[in-house]
Amino acid sequence: MVDRQMKVGMEYLQLMKERYPHLNANISPFLVHITCSTWITVFCEIVEHEDYSDEDINVAMEQYMDFSMAGWKALLKP
């Protein structure tokens, strides 16, 4: 699953570079692998921890997405 996500992620970076040439799309494939693996872990944590409410999970996911997006924005900036 991680390998599939990584392939899609690398293709996405290439498409972003073609569409927005000013972006820095020179992202380490190993970092893409790590981020794909992390997403799998996030979903596993949600499944394994039934003691959290839907609201707790939604808040955590929103915060994780904000955290993650800030990192990608920093990496892709020209």
Side-chain angles (χ1 to χ4, degrees), residues 25-42:
N26 188 22
I27 307 297
S28 162
F30 187 48
L31 175 63
V32 175
H33 175 87
I34 290 168
T35 59
C36 292
S37 179
T38 300
W39 267 111
I40 299 291
T41 301
V42 167

Side-chain angles (χ1 to χ4, degrees), residues 12-25 76 78:
Y12 177 78
L13 287 171
Q14 182 180 4
L15 290 171
M16 288 292 289
K17 183 64 175 177
E18 290 171 11
R19 188 167 195 181
Y20 306 102
H22 65 283
L23 290 181
N24 172 34
L76 293 171

Side-chain angles (χ1 to χ4, degrees), residues 33-76:
H33 175 87
I34 290 168
T35 59
C36 292
S37 179
T38 300
W39 267 111
I40 299 291
T41 301
V42 167
F43 292 123
C44 288
E45 289 295 323
I46 291 170
V47 171
E48 291 175 5
H49 293 279
E50 296 176 2
D51 47 325
Y52 289 104
S53 70
D54 287 348
E55 183 179 348
D56 291 335
I57 292 169
N58 287 336
V59 168
M61 288 302 299
E62 286 178 17
Q63 291 174 346
Y64 184 76
M65 289 173 63
D66 287 345
F67 172 81
S68 186
M69 290 299 294
W72 282 110
K73 285 179 182 177
L75 290 172
L76 293 171

